Amino acid sequence: MASPSGSSGRLTSYYSDSWYGATAAWWPSVNASPATLWKRDQDGVESIGMADANYERWALVRRLGSQRQVLETMAGAWEHHLHVPATGEVGPFRTAYGKVIRAYSLARYEDLLKAAITHPAMSVYLGNANSSKSAPNENLGRESAGACTPSGAVPTPRRT
Protein backbone atom coordinates (compact mmCIF):
# COMPACT_ATOMS: atom_id res chain seq x y z
CA MET A 1 0.00 0.00 0.00
CA ALA A 2 1.41 3.37 -0.97
CA SER A 3 2.00 6.06 1.58
CA PRO A 4 -0.81 8.61 1.69
CA SER A 5 1.65 11.47 2.05
CA GLY A 6 2.83 11.07 -1.54
CA SER A 7 -0.61 11.89 -2.90
CA SER A 8 -0.88 15.21 -1.13
CA GLY A 9 2.76 16.30 -1.33
CA ARG A 10 1.77 19.54 -3.00
CA LEU A 11 -0.58 20.37 -0.15
CA THR A 12 2.16 19.75 2.37
CA SER A 13 4.46 22.30 0.81
CA TYR A 14 1.87 25.03 0.18
CA TYR A 15 -0.71 24.82 2.93
CA SER A 16 -0.09 24.50 6.64
CA ASP A 17 -1.78 21.68 8.51
CA SER A 18 -1.13 23.23 11.93
CA TRP A 19 -4.89 23.65 12.48
CA TYR A 20 -5.20 19.85 12.57
CA GLY A 21 -2.81 19.43 15.50
CA ALA A 22 -3.81 22.60 17.33
CA THR A 23 -7.51 21.78 17.35
CA ALA A 24 -6.94 18.12 18.26
CA ALA A 25 -5.62 19.33 21.61
CA TRP A 26 -9.01 20.87 22.44
CA TRP A 27 -10.49 17.43 23.15
CA PRO A 28 -8.30 14.93 25.07
CA SER A 29 -10.15 11.94 23.62
CA VAL A 30 -9.16 12.86 20.05
CA ASN A 31 -5.53 11.88 20.66
CA ALA A 32 -6.23 8.98 23.03
CA SER A 33 -5.55 5.39 22.02
CA PRO A 34 -8.45 2.93 21.76
CA ALA A 35 -7.29 1.31 25.02
CA THR A 36 -7.30 4.70 26.77
CA LEU A 37 -10.75 5.53 25.41
CA TRP A 38 -12.08 2.20 26.68
CA LYS A 39 -10.54 2.78 30.13
CA ARG A 40 -11.95 6.32 30.31
CA ASP A 41 -15.37 4.90 29.47
CA GLN A 42 -15.11 2.13 32.07
CA ASP A 43 -13.85 4.57 34.74
CA GLY A 44 -16.75 6.95 34.07
CA VAL A 45 -14.46 9.77 32.93
CA GLU A 46 -15.84 10.06 29.40
CA SER A 47 -18.25 7.74 27.62
CA ILE A 48 -17.43 6.29 24.22
CA GLY A 49 -20.43 8.24 22.88
CA MET A 50 -19.01 11.50 24.20
CA ALA A 51 -15.57 10.68 22.78
CA ASP A 52 -17.20 10.13 19.38
CA ALA A 53 -19.15 13.38 19.71
CA ASN A 54 -15.86 15.14 20.46
CA TYR A 55 -14.34 13.57 17.37
CA GLU A 56 -17.26 14.84 15.28
CA ARG A 57 -16.84 18.32 16.80
CA TRP A 58 -13.15 18.21 15.90
CA ALA A 59 -13.95 17.14 12.32
CA LEU A 60 -16.36 20.08 11.99
CA VAL A 61 -13.83 22.55 13.40
CA ARG A 62 -11.21 21.20 10.98
CA ARG A 63 -13.55 21.75 8.05
CA LEU A 64 -14.32 25.29 9.17
CA GLY A 65 -10.81 26.54 9.88
CA SER A 66 -8.34 24.44 7.94
CA GLN A 67 -6.34 25.80 5.04
CA ARG A 68 -6.86 22.37 3.47
CA GLN A 69 -10.54 22.57 2.63
CA VAL A 70 -10.44 19.96 -0.12
CA LEU A 71 -8.68 17.49 2.17
CA GLU A 72 -11.19 18.01 4.99
CA THR A 73 -14.16 17.83 2.62
CA MET A 74 -12.92 14.61 1.06
CA ALA A 75 -12.17 13.15 4.48
CA GLY A 76 -15.77 13.81 5.47
CA ALA A 77 -17.10 12.33 2.24
CA TRP A 78 -15.01 9.16 2.54
CA GLU A 79 -15.89 8.74 6.22
CA HIS A 80 -19.53 8.87 5.20
CA HIS A 81 -19.03 6.44 2.30
CA LEU A 82 -16.90 3.97 4.30
CA HIS A 83 -18.84 4.49 7.52
CA VAL A 84 -18.45 2.52 10.71
CA PRO A 85 -20.63 3.50 13.68
CA ALA A 86 -19.15 4.54 17.00
CA THR A 87 -21.36 2.18 18.96
CA GLY A 88 -20.60 -0.95 20.94
CA GLU A 89 -17.20 -2.53 20.58
CA VAL A 90 -16.33 -0.36 17.57
CA GLY A 91 -16.47 2.83 19.66
CA PRO A 92 -12.89 2.93 20.94
CA PHE A 93 -11.53 2.53 17.39
CA ARG A 94 -13.72 5.14 15.69
CA THR A 95 -11.45 8.18 16.12
CA ALA A 96 -8.37 6.28 14.93
CA TYR A 97 -10.39 5.06 11.93
CA GLY A 98 -11.36 8.63 11.06
CA LYS A 99 -7.73 9.70 11.19
CA VAL A 100 -6.75 6.89 8.80
CA ILE A 101 -9.53 7.85 6.39
CA ARG A 102 -8.32 11.46 6.47
CA ALA A 103 -4.73 10.38 5.82
CA TYR A 104 -5.81 8.49 2.70
CA SER A 105 -8.63 10.75 1.54
CA LEU A 106 -6.59 12.23 -1.33
CA ALA A 107 -4.72 9.03 -2.12
CA ARG A 108 -5.61 6.42 -4.72
CA TYR A 109 -8.97 4.79 -4.01
CA GLU A 110 -7.32 1.36 -3.87
CA ASP A 111 -5.03 2.52 -1.05
CA LEU A 112 -7.89 4.22 0.80
CA LEU A 113 -10.06 1.12 0.57
CA LYS A 114 -7.27 -1.17 1.75
CA ALA A 115 -6.54 1.12 4.72
CA ALA A 116 -10.24 1.22 5.62
CA ILE A 117 -10.99 -2.49 5.38
CA THR A 118 -7.86 -3.53 7.27
CA HIS A 119 -8.48 -1.10 10.13
CA PRO A 120 -9.61 -2.67 13.45
CA ALA A 121 -12.75 -0.50 13.48
CA MET A 122 -13.99 -2.07 10.25
CA SER A 123 -13.00 -5.57 11.38
CA VAL A 124 -14.90 -5.21 14.65
CA TYR A 125 -17.89 -3.61 12.93
CA LEU A 126 -18.17 -6.43 10.41
CA GLY A 127 -17.65 -9.14 13.00
CA ASN A 128 -14.51 -10.56 11.43
CA ALA A 129 -13.36 -11.97 14.78
CA ASN A 130 -16.01 -14.66 14.32
CA SER A 131 -14.81 -15.68 10.86
CA SER A 132 -13.10 -19.01 10.29
CA LYS A 133 -12.21 -21.25 7.38
CA SER A 134 -15.15 -23.55 8.10
CA ALA A 135 -17.62 -20.68 8.71
CA PRO A 136 -16.39 -17.60 6.84
CA ASN A 137 -17.89 -14.24 7.63
CA GLU A 138 -18.81 -12.70 4.27
CA ASN A 139 -19.67 -9.24 5.58
CA LEU A 140 -16.38 -7.76 4.37
CA GLY A 141 -16.97 -9.07 0.86
CA ARG A 142 -20.45 -7.56 0.73
CA GLU A 143 -19.27 -4.22 2.14
CA SER A 144 -16.31 -4.10 -0.25
CA ALA A 145 -18.55 -4.82 -3.21
CA GLY A 146 -20.91 -2.09 -2.07
CA ALA A 147 -18.06 0.39 -1.64
CA CYS A 148 -16.66 -0.37 -5.08
CA THR A 149 -19.84 -0.15 -7.13
CA PRO A 150 -21.85 2.93 -8.07
CA SER A 151 -24.49 3.84 -5.49
CA GLY A 152 -23.67 0.71 -3.50
CA ALA A 153 -25.66 -1.47 -5.93
CA VAL A 154 -24.28 -4.96 -5.65
CA PRO A 155 -25.15 -7.09 -8.67
CA THR A 156 -26.96 -10.30 -7.82
CA PRO A 157 -26.64 -13.43 -9.91
CA ARG A 158 -29.59 -14.21 -12.17
CA ARG A 159 -31.44 -17.40 -11.48
CA THR A 160 -32.57 -19.40 -14.44
Side-chain angles (χ1 to χ4, degrees):
M1 181 168 27
S3 168
S5 60
S7 65
S8 59
R10 291 185 185 133
L11 287 177
T12 304
S13 61
Y14 294 121
Y15 297 101
S16 170
D17 202 19
S18 61
W19 187 249
Y20 177 83
T23 56
W26 298 356
W27 296 280
S29 55
V30 167
N31 290 316
S33 69
T36 301
L37 290 174
W38 182 257
K39 182 167 179 11
R40 289 169 60 92
D41 180 72
Q42 297 302 302
D43 293 346
V45 175
E46 180 182 46
S47 71
I48 295 295
M50 184 56 69
D52 182 58
N54 287 337
Y55 171 75
E56 294 298 329
R57 289 179 186 104
W58 179 50
L60 177 62
V61 166
R62 287 188 342 239
R63 287 183 204 119
L64 292 173
S66 175
Q67 291 185 24
R68 298 180 175 195
Q69 292 294 305
V70 172
L71 173 65
E72 299 302 345
T73 300
M74 290 306 298
W78 286 126
E79 278 191 68
H80 177 74
H81 185 67
L82 301 168
H83 178 72
V84 296
T87 57
E89 295 172 342
V90 177
F93 300 100
R94 183 60 186 85
T95 297
Y97 178 76
K99 288 179 177 182
V100 166
I101 296 297
R102 181 184 186 267
Y104 284 89
S105 63
L106 296 179
R108 294 178 337 143
Y109 184 70
E110 177 183 351
D111 296 335
L112 169 68
L113 190 59
K114 185 173 182 180
I117 66 174
T118 58
H119 194 277
M122 185 68 77
S123 295
V124 171
Y125 172 56
L126 297 176
N128 289 344
N130 300 326
S131 187
S132 68
K133 186 176 181 178
S134 62
N137 181 330
E138 297 174 347
N139 291 340
L140 179 59
R142 281 191 296 275
E143 289 294 323
S144 296
C148 294
T149 56
S151 74
V154 178
T156 55
R158 290 182 63 172
R159 294 187 181 184
T160 55

